[in-house]
Amino acid sequence: MSRKPFVGANWKCSLESLGEVDKLLEQLETAFAPADAPDIKDELDVCVFPPYVFLERVRRRLSSGFLVGSQNAWDAVAGYKCTGVTTAKMLKELGCHWVMLGHSDRRNTLGETDALLAEKVGMCLEAGLSVNLTMGETKEQRDSGKALDTLILQLSTVVPSVAKDAWGRIALAYEPVWAIGEGAQPCDPEEAQRIHAALRAWIRDNVGAEAADACRILYTGSVNEDNASKYGALPDVDGFIVGRAGLDSKKFISICETLLESKKAGSS
Ligand code: PGA
């Protein structure tokens, strides 16, 4: 395993009360701390992405092996003191390790552009955060044969914001927009591998071999405890971002264990 596998739980805004948050945190601690097993978090980066308002609580209550990430950061105009903004520096100060940028909820529903995301990526890296950059094509873009072109545009716009030695702090998440959420069909694993390999090859050709080897590429879209092994076995899939299954501690640990087993089997 040249790259450390990564699994992130994107809570979106599914939990809205402190009681719900505390309950899930307790369940995660129990699920990830079996007395008779080595700590899976030593071999796998496990990160939870709560909403801003719960970050402090999650960071304080979860044991130190878990990573904590923000679902967003906002630094629209550098140096401008903007109302209602949470900056990358604030997130770093709070003890966050990761920040998720570019989820389709923010690109397609809230209109975040590649140029804005490029700016945010640069600021987050500069503040010392690692960046989970989510990118993906819509159904229309896929149906018109533009899936890869769309992804390369999303990626290439952000590349100037990433220093050559910072690619180890980037985890791209391939998120076919048509594959996320209730009722969606996950992307066929072979197709996910084809896309991940193409993205890695693009980074190799346009940034360099070290960057391509260091950068993790995650799959996101209807990952669950039953299909995780199919993706985990793929050489260019370094882990997952999970939505719904990340709200259930038993499903979440099962996905983490399955990924790790698949990666170990693949490297032996
Ligand atoms: P899902 O969500 O795993 O519930 O499909 C993924 C996401 O939107 O990040």
Side-chain angles (χ1 to χ4, degrees), residues 69-171:
S70 172
Q71 294 175 19
N72 187 28
W74 185 266
D75 262 305
V77 184
Y80 175 62
K81 306 281 183 227
C82 191
T83 305
V85 158
T86 301
T87 68
K89 281 186 195 155
M90 292 176 195
L91 296 172
K92 182 68 183 167
E93 186 68 24
L94 209 58
C96 281
H97 308 94
W98 284 81
V99 61
M100 177 181 291
L101 298 173
H103 191 281
S104 63
D105 291 339
R106 302 203 61 87
R107 288 179 188 270
N108 302 337
T109 311
L110 299 173
E112 291 199 358
T113 61
D114 289 328
L116 174 64
L117 291 167
E119 195 179 346
K120 289 191 190 194
V121 168
M123 287 177 178
C124 288
L125 289 173
E126 199 183 312
L129 295 162
S130 297
V131 174
N132 168 224
L133 178 68
T134 309
M135 36 201 276
E137 82 284 2
T138 61
K139 175 132 183 25
E140 293 68 37
Q141 287 164 330
R142 172 155 286 266
D143 289 347
S144 57
K146 299 212 168 72
L148 206 48
D149 289 350
T150 303
L151 291 159
I152 298 298
L153 180 63
Q154 291 172 347
L155 176 58
S156 59
T157 313
V158 168
V159 163
S161 301
V162 185
K164 278 213 163 181
D165 61 358
W167 283 87
R169 289 198 284 136
I170 297 284

Side-chain angles (χ1 to χ4, degrees), residues 10 12 103 105 175 179-181 220-223 241-245:
N10 177 11
K12 305 193 182 188
H103 191 281
D105 291 339
E175 178 209 26
I180 59 167
T220 177
S222 300
V223 175
I241 297 291
V242 296
R244 287 156 295 167

Side-chain angles (χ1 to χ4, degrees), residues 4 15 20 33 45 48 52 56 77 83 89 98 120 144 156 163 176 178 184 189 192 210 217 219 226-227 257:
K4 194 173 183 187
L15 308 180
E20 288 173 301
D45 279 343
V48 293
Y52 284 143
E56 167 83 349
V77 184
T83 305
K89 281 186 195 155
W98 284 81
K120 289 191 190 194
S144 57
S156 59
W178 43 271
E210 272 183 33
I217 308 182
Y219 170 72
D226 298 323
N227 62 22
E257 286 170 343

